[in-house]
Amino acid sequence: MTEIRTDPVTGNQVIIATERGKRPTDLKSVLPEKKVKKIEDSCPFCPGNEEKTPPEISRINRRDKWTVRVVPNKYPAVSMESSCNINDSILFKKEKGKGKHEVIIESREHNKSFFYMDIKEFEYMLKMYKKRYKDLINLEGIKYVSIFKNYKKEAGASLEHPHSQAIALPLVPKLIKEELHGSKNYFEKEGNCIYCDIIKEELNNNERIITETKNFLVLAPYASIYSYHTQIIPKEHKSNFETINNKLIEELAILLFDIFNRMGRLLGDFPFNMYLHTLPKDEENHNKTYHWHMEIAPRLSNQAGFELGSGMYINTVAPEQAAKVLRSVPTNCCNKKAYIV
């Protein structure tokens, strides 16, 4: 099967070419046993090496020891002290790279990944995501906060110790602008949030749904860029991630545990990026049109000449097949506070 699909929100185009990829049965079906290494002497994120990082910004304790810790990035992409000269040239415009770049250390254990984290660890991590987002978005001159995770070198990680990052920016990134524009256009034509309509359609169709809880849906997006590309979206219309309450954080933690359990059993210890999209600051006019969501992008293949030269992607696993396979994977999820449907 070969077809060209268009993302209903951004308009980005993806070629679904299943004959170019491996069959799902060729992928790993069991996550290999991993010997957890609690401490690496040279790692700046390990317990006992706290002095090797810049001064701590925040932490969450568990049993009188930190379980999540936040520090400034030692090599920041942006800085509040940026001294760049502003250039408003028509052709060569530039502005100060003013902002903040933080590291969210997700675990005390040196090589513990999402495939081995427990539900409580996901919960603490999400609570820190919310806390850092709220603190950073309220800084003067900041318009957007990007929270993301790179896992393994192939996905852009430079250190093994489990961590996410938060970058506070003085502008709204192009991709977020495209989502805002696409969702607003749809609202003006149809009178509904496009994400809410996608949720209704997917619930009726059920082809691309991987799993769900009472308040969240996990699906393989219709125009998935990557093989096994996964989106997590609240069923109720919510434009701002930072409004999430503790009960929903607990439910989302269970869902993350469940989906990474499924994906790990199917794909093994694979590289991925995970990122959060939420409504930028001072964009209240999009409250009714935009819907926050998280995405998991497995990096099972590399971008090549066609992708770089055309701006289009080739996905070798159809979203419907990805969802079907992931639904069939047994999960060890223990649903004490929310129920996987």
Side-chain angles (χ1 to χ4, degrees):
M1 178 189 76
T2 300
E3 60 187 58
I4 298 175
R5 298 189 181 185
T6 301
D7 186 286
V9 181
T10 64
N12 292 336
Q13 295 173 314
V14 179
I15 296 176
I16 307 296
T18 55
E19 63 276 8
R20 288 174 59 85
K22 294 181 180 179
R23 296 174 60 193
T25 50
D26 291 333
L27 298 168
K28 297 179 181 179
S29 58
V30 179
L31 187 66
E33 290 292 327
K34 184 173 185 178
K35 186 176 181 181
V36 174
K37 188 172 187 180
K38 292 186 178 294
I39 296 178
E40 173 65 52
D41 291 339
S42 61
C43 174
F45 296 162
C46 280
N49 293 342
E50 286 84 358
E51 76 284 350
K52 293 184 179 181
T53 67
E56 183 179 288
I57 295 170
S58 184
R59 69 162 60 189
I60 294 176
N61 285 343
R62 185 183 188 186
R63 303 189 188 100
D64 298 323
K65 295 180 180 179
W66 67 263
T67 185
V68 180
R69 185 168 174 261
V70 181
V71 298
N73 193 306
K74 197 171 182 180
Y75 306 99
V78 291
S79 170
M80 296 301 281
E81 290 74 44
S82 173
S83 58
C84 153
N85 293 322
I86 297 175
N87 183 346
D88 204 22
S89 163
I90 294 175
L91 289 177
F92 305 115
K93 183 178 180 180
K94 67 177 178 179
E95 56 188 288
K96 291 184 178 181
K98 193 172 184 180
K100 281 203 168 185
H101 191 170
E102 299 179 352
V103 177
I104 302 168
I105 305 167
E106 302 157 348
S107 172
R108 295 176 62 83
E109 296 174 354
H110 177 71
N111 66 345
K112 195 169 194 179
S113 70
F114 276 13
F115 307 111
Y116 300 94
M117 278 172 58
D118 61 42
I119 293 171
K120 206 67 181 174
E121 288 173 306
F122 278 116
E123 183 182 331
Y124 287 138
M125 181 195 77
L126 289 168
K127 285 182 176 179
M128 185 59 81
Y129 279 10
K130 176 181 175 180
K131 184 178 188 304
R132 293 319 306 144
Y133 183 89
K134 291 181 75 172
D135 286 350
L136 290 169
I137 199 65
N138 286 318
L139 293 175
E140 184 179 354
I142 297 303
K143 294 183 179 180
Y144 190 78
V145 177
S146 176
I147 296 179
F148 61 95
K149 177 180 176 65
N150 303 329
Y151 178 65
K152 289 186 174 289
K153 185 177 180 180
E154 297 92 330
S158 56
L159 291 175
E160 182 178 22
H161 197 113
H163 65 283
S164 304
Q165 299 179 64
I167 300 183
L169 296 165
L171 49 76
V172 179
K174 181 176 180 290
L175 178 56
I176 306 302
K177 284 183 177 180
E178 289 174 350
E179 290 185 348
L180 292 173
H181 179 73
S183 58
K184 184 179 179 183
N185 280 351
Y186 184 88
F187 188 88
E188 289 173 349
K189 292 177 182 177
E190 305 295 334
N192 299 313
C193 165
I194 188 170
Y195 295 96
C196 292
D197 279 2
I198 288 172
I199 290 170
K200 290 177 186 176
E201 186 70 23
E202 296 292 6
L203 287 170
N204 288 332
N205 183 307
N206 206 38
E207 263 192 306
R208 289 177 289 274
I209 293 177
I210 298 166
T211 186
E212 61 178 304
T213 61
K214 179 181 177 182
N215 294 290
F216 293 97
L217 187 66
V218 183
L219 54 88
Y222 171 73
S224 297
I225 292 175
Y226 302 102
S227 299
Y228 299 96
H229 189 169
T230 301
Q231 185 179 76
I232 304 171
I233 188 165
K235 292 178 178 177
E236 183 181 352
H237 181 80
K238 298 287 183 183
S239 56
N240 299 87
F241 167 76
E242 68 270 26
T243 63
I244 192 171
N245 59 36
N246 285 342
K247 185 177 180 181
L248 289 179
I249 283 178
E250 291 171 1
E251 188 174 325
L252 183 54
I254 291 172
L255 198 52
L256 285 174
F257 178 90
D258 176 76
I259 191 60
F260 277 101
N261 193 277
R262 291 173 191 268
M263 295 178 87
R265 285 168 175 253
L266 176 67
L267 303 173
D269 189 22
F270 65 93
F272 67 86
N273 301 107
M274 186 178 82
Y275 42 92
L276 170 69
H277 283 182
T278 187
L279 188 69
K281 185 165 67 178
D282 301 327
E283 295 286 355
E284 290 78 10
N285 59 319
H286 289 281
N287 275 330
K288 293 183 179 180
T289 68
Y290 194 72
H291 206 118
W292 78 261
H293 51 281
M294 298 179 73
E295 302 204 17
I296 302 164
R299 304 303 295 272
L300 304 175
S301 60
N302 296 320
Q303 295 180 21
F306 176 78
E307 288 83 358
L308 295 174
S310 68
M312 295 177 68
Y313 290 81
I314 298 176
N315 183 351
T316 60
V317 180
E320 295 77 15
Q321 180 66 8
K324 180 180 179 180
V325 175
L326 284 168
R327 280 196 304 268
S328 70
V329 175
T331 176
N332 289 333
C333 190
C334 178
N335 309 316
K336 294 180 179 177
K337 296 179 180 175
Y339 295 93
I340 304 295
V341 177

